[in-house]
Every structure is written in structure tokens, then in C-alpha cells.
Amino acid sequence: MTTSVIILAAGKGTRMRSQLPKVLQPLAGRPLLGHVIDTAKQLHAEHIITIYGHGGEQVQQHFNHEQIQWVEQAEQLGTGHAVQMTLPVLPQDGISLILSGDVPCITPATLQKLLDASRGTGIGLVTLTLEDATGYGRIVRENGKIQAIVEHKDANEQQRQIREINTGIYCVSNAKLHQWLPQLTNNNAQGEYYLTDIVAMALADGLEVASVEPEMSFEVEGVNDRIQLAALERQFQNFQAKQLMQQGVHLIDPSRFDLRGKLKVGQDVRIDINVIIEGDCELGDRVEIGAGCVIKNTKIAAGTKVQPYSIFDQAIVGEDTQIGPFARLRPGAKLANEVHIGNFVEVKNSSIGLGSKANHFTYLGDAEIGENSNIGAGTITCNYDGANKFKTIIGDAAFIGSNSSLVAPVRIGHGATVGAGSVITRDVEDHNLAFERSKQIVKENYQRPQKLKK
Ligand code: UD1
Ligand code: CA
């Protein structure tokens, strides 16, 4: 039986007060709708149908690499009307999950439970019991069986006491959607075509409506404004942090950890407070990350220790290296094992060989550095002439004295030495010493100018 996923994403999101369509607002670094699409993919849905309205072009543009069927709902006449729009493309057989683009945290596990519960009956819902159910559609039951969903605005006093609510997540057989949706009317308090009316239709057809509860309540929370977005972000972060701790990660404080992407971890990884991990990252066994680091699309191998406030973007870091504090590894930084990168060192598109060190105030751009070389404080690779980039090549066991400028293209040989304060414009052959500095002038017993005494 084929599974389709229908995602409602036509709402305007007025309360976000944003130029960006609501479903493109980020949660944990990914658009709300992106979370729902990923969940649909994890369920191996054959069809993903997304109903768009406001900002449709921008939304489609954002997901143009995904296999999605887009259906327009030009006017928002209600949730039932929205799903009606899919009928021309919805398969006749199979079953559909109906989700919302602004309910991003629903898990594949809960949806699988819903699918399993709904297969026999042809219709099922995710419901939840709340302390305060104000505003939601209420689940009306008789002898435990679902009879109807009554919207808050249409509910009488007695129905408003009901605390079990409709989360807006459904599973319905496609044959039934084709049968029921054309019959919806808008005779209700809001003058909308309610999707929830299909529950009464199911009963009229003699079908029992199945229901399941989510594993975790935040799974069914929607986002309507930035306050809800921030609250959900924390809950989602908390959930991710728990998963990492269950895998053995030592998070010093899970409430001060943010993962905006995926993190693969080895054993005994330790992460101090206020660390942000973005994109696809990997931390090997015993890696330690100091406070305030931002690590994006980066792999750090076993035993490496990162001191506070270091920034990584598309870097590959070897085993047992020492990084930071205040180091910046930019795209293409490739560090072999046992490398040391110290404070205020920036590395871009450069490879650094086994055991080499750049411990202080240095820019290494478009450089290839061999093994066991020492790059002195304040070394700059001058890789850019304003139009073109050039390479600096440094061999093994080279020594670059402090405050040197290496004007690329240039090669410093194996075992070569550059004297401190040099501007190196020509290659230095293996084992040679090169330095470039003017002769020191000495004035004996020099008297500095004196301030006049008042
Ligand atoms: C709906 C349910 C209600 C449930 C609540 C859960 C109906 C009639 N009511 O309420 O029982 O408790 O969700 O949050 O379905 N949308 C469209 N096109 C439209 C209208 C809505 O795409 O014409 C989208 C919205 O963007 C949103 C979703 O559908 O993603 C739900 O719409 P919303 O207005 O939030 O739901 P309610 O009608 O308040
Ligand atoms: Ca709503």
C-alpha cells in the first residue's frame, strides 16, 4: 500500500511579523517545513504533496532539490479546502498522512504508530490531552469511541470542558479522501471548510476513527509566533541533547548546547557550555570542546582538545591536535594529527602536516605545510594580490621566525629557516636560512625627549 504525505503549508503566518513565509522560519537551523519533509522521507513516503499559498514561489525555490508535488491553495478557505486542492494529484488507492508545515517536530515513530492504528479503519488521528485546551478542536467521544471533532468556536459549554484535542495530524485512506472531501460544507462559526468534518463522515460510513497519542507532547506543537518558535526551539534542543547524552556524550549543561544539524560522536566526547554545532559534524573519541565554540560542517578526530571560543567551518582536524583558544579554521583547513593551532590563528584552504605548530597570531591561507614545522607568531601568508590567489608551500621541519610575511607564490624548503621579521619573496631552498631585514642602527647613550616640568 502506497503512503502519501500531504503537508498543509498555505497559511500566512501573520503573527510572525516577517517577510519570510512561516514554513521557512528556522528551527534548529532548518526551515519548519524542512523538518516535516525529512520526516516524510524517513517514513519512505512515495508521494509528498505540499499545499502552498503565501510566499509559494520562495517556498518552492527553497525545496527545489526535493521530490515534492506542489499544489496551490490560492485562497485560504479552511483546512478541508486545502486538502481538497490535492485531489487532482492524490492517488486513488493507498493511505495519506496529513501534516502541517508549521508543526515541525512530529517524529516518524509517532506517525508509524498512527499508520499502524489507521490501516484497519481507514482513518485515524493524533490526539493529546491538555490542561488548557482553549482554541483547539475538541475530541468528542461516546463510550470511548470518537464521534466528532468540534472546533472551539463551534463548541458548546459542555464540549469546551473536553481536554482531549485534535493535533491536526491525520491518517486517511485516499479512497475516503476522494469520497469525503467534495462533500465538505462551510456551515460553521468561521465559514471555513473544516477538514475535521471528515470524522463525522467516517462515522456515517460505519468506520471507527482510530487515535494515538504522541510519544512526547512537543511533537505536536505548532508555531504561530516567535514566542512559540523560541519555546519549541528549546524543547527540540533539549530532546537532541538527551539523545546525545544517551549516546554517551558529556554535555556540561544540556540547556546551553545547540545542535543545528547532525552530529556523529565517538566515545567520551565532552562539550562545555554555549557550543553551537551546525550542519554535518563528527567528533571522535575523547574529543573535548571548550566553551563558546561554533563548529560547522567539520570533522574532528579522536583525542583532539579544542580550547574556548574557537570557530570551525568545513575543516578536517586530525587526532590529538590542540586548537585554540580563539582559533579560526575556515573552509578547506586540513590538519593532520598532533597539529597545534593557537590563539588568533586563522587557517583557510591549507593543509598542515603531522606535528606542525602555529601557536600565535597567524594567517595561513592557500598553504601546504609539511610535518614538524614551526610557524612563528605573526606569520602571514600573503596569498592575494587583489585579484589572484597564490600558494605558499612549506616543507617538513621548517622554522618560520616571528612576524614574517611569506609573499606567495613561494616555497620554503625542508629544514629551511626564515629569520624573524622577514618579507620573503623568493623560494628558500632546503636547509637554507633566509632573512630580510635592514641593519640595526645604534645611538649610544641616547636621551629621549623630556616633558617640561611645570
Ligand atoms: C486546526 C483544526 C483543529 C486543531 C488545530 C490544531 C480544523 C478545522 N481545525 O485548527 O481542530 O485543534 O488545527 O492546531 O482543521 N491551512 C492551510 N489552508 C487553510 C487553512 C489552514 O494551508 O485554508 C494550514 C495552516 O497554515 C496550518 C494548518 O493548516 O499549517 C492548520 O491551520 P490553523 O488555522 O492553524 O488551524 P485551525 O483551523 O486553527
Ligand atoms: Ca493553529
Side-chain angles (χ1 to χ4, degrees), residues 76-146:
Q76 273 76 67
L77 303 179
T79 50
H81 178 257
V83 184
Q84 270 176 3
M85 301 296 106
T86 70
L87 291 181
V89 300
L90 189 71
Q92 294 294 328
D93 52 6
I95 202 159
S96 286
L97 287 164
I98 303 174
L99 310 177
S100 282
D102 58 1
V103 181
C105 296
I106 186 75
T107 60
T110 294
L111 292 177
Q112 192 56 55
K113 226 166 59 168
L114 177 63
L115 276 166
D116 295 343
S118 311
R119 281 229 159 86
T121 65
I123 176 168
L125 330 165
V126 179
T127 74
L128 183 69
T129 302
L130 295 177
E131 278 304 316
D132 179 7
T134 309
Y136 289 99
R138 306 299 209 284
I139 306 292
V140 180
R141 291 185 188 259
E142 244 171 59
N143 301 322
K145 295 205 166 125
I146 297 178

Side-chain angles (χ1 to χ4, degrees), residues 313-317 329-335 347-351:
D313 183 6
Q314 295 174 58
I316 298 176
V317 178
L329 303 193
R330 291 173 50 200
K334 249 180 101 178
L335 276 46
V347 182
K348 186 220 76 173
N349 190 35
S350 294
S351 60

Side-chain angles (χ1 to χ4, degrees), residues 150-416:
V150 182
E151 291 306 294
H152 183 89
K153 287 186 178 144
D154 299 291
N156 60 36
E157 259 325 299
Q158 197 193 345
Q159 288 165 334
R160 287 188 181 178
Q161 302 305 312
I162 299 171
R163 287 166 46 219
E164 187 185 11
I165 60 117
N166 169 31
T167 64
I169 294 167
Y170 316 81
C171 183
V172 191
S173 88
N174 292 346
K176 290 295 171 189
L177 286 173
H178 280 286
Q179 181 194 328
W180 293 332
L181 291 177
Q183 298 176 36
L184 291 176
T185 61
N186 62 355
N187 302 323
N188 52 54
Q190 303 184 81
E192 285 181 10
Y193 294 89
Y194 289 168
L195 179 58
T196 46
D197 286 352
I198 62 173
V199 167
M201 293 178 181
L203 254 74
D205 281 4
L207 296 178
E208 195 172 310
V209 180
S211 71
V212 301
E213 298 225 329
E215 315 255 300
M216 302 164 286
S217 65
F218 82 93
E219 285 183 59
V220 295
E221 259 165 50
V223 172
N224 293 302
D225 58 33
R226 300 212 190 247
I227 296 165
Q228 290 173 345
L229 181 60
L232 193 57
E233 173 83 31
R234 260 306 106 213
Q235 293 190 78
F236 186 70
Q237 289 299 345
N238 203 22
F239 165 67
Q240 293 189 131
K242 272 189 190 147
Q243 285 186 320
L244 286 170
M245 290 187 288
Q246 277 160 356
Q247 290 169 49
V249 177
H250 182 185
L251 290 178
I252 306 283
D253 181 357
S255 72
R256 285 180 288 174
F257 170 73
D258 288 85
L259 171 57
R260 301 173 188 159
K262 291 197 180 76
L263 175 60
K264 253 181 92 176
V265 287
Q267 215 172 17
D268 292 313
V269 166
R270 189 160 86 206
I271 300 177
D272 211 328
I273 62 167
N274 294 335
V275 168
I276 301 175
I277 310 261
E278 294 180 50
D280 276 317
C281 290
E282 248 182 86
L283 303 178
D285 294 342
R286 301 177 312 285
V287 165
E288 290 178 15
I289 308 294
C293 291
V294 180
I295 304 174
K296 186 173 175 182
N297 295 319
T298 287
K299 271 188 187 178
I300 301 179
T304 284
K305 300 206 180 351
V306 179
Q307 302 287 333
Y309 304 104
S310 297
I311 313 290
F312 300 73
D313 183 6
Q314 295 174 58
I316 298 176
V317 178
E319 293 177 10
D320 300 311
T321 70
Q322 293 182 31
I323 317 278
F326 300 101
R328 182 173 182 209
L329 303 193
R330 291 173 50 200
K334 249 180 101 178
L335 276 46
N337 297 347
E338 294 165 46
V339 163
H340 290 192
I341 296 294
N343 43 229
F344 310 107
V345 174
E346 174 180 346
V347 182
K348 186 220 76 173
N349 190 35
S350 294
S351 60
I352 302 182
L354 175 76
S356 285
K357 294 174 184 162
N359 273 327
H360 337 260
F361 316 111
T362 285
Y363 173 60
L364 300 171
D366 305 307
E368 258 173 48
I369 299 171
E371 300 183 356
N372 298 312
S373 284
N374 197 312
I375 313 297
T379 298
I380 305 290
T381 54
C382 308
N383 61 329
Y384 186 50
D385 63 6
N388 310 291
K389 301 261 169 78
F390 300 98
K391 286 196 89 155
T392 300
I393 299 187
I394 299 174
D396 298 337
F399 184 97
I400 312 297
S402 295
N403 203 28
S404 294
S405 301
L406 308 177
V407 181
V410 71
R411 178 181 178 276
I412 314 294
H414 297 300

Side-chain angles (χ1 to χ4, degrees), residues 46-78:
E46 278 91 352
H47 308 272
I48 301 177
I49 306 167
T50 303
I51 304 149
Y52 69 93
H54 291 276
E57 223 163 89
Q58 213 181 333
V59 176
Q60 286 179 54
Q61 188 69 35
H62 198 282
F63 293 100
N64 62 8
H65 54 286
E66 301 278 8
Q67 287 272 335
I68 292 175
Q69 279 176 288
W70 296 95
V71 171
E72 187 181 12
Q73 185 194 23
E75 253 189 305
Q76 273 76 67
L77 303 179

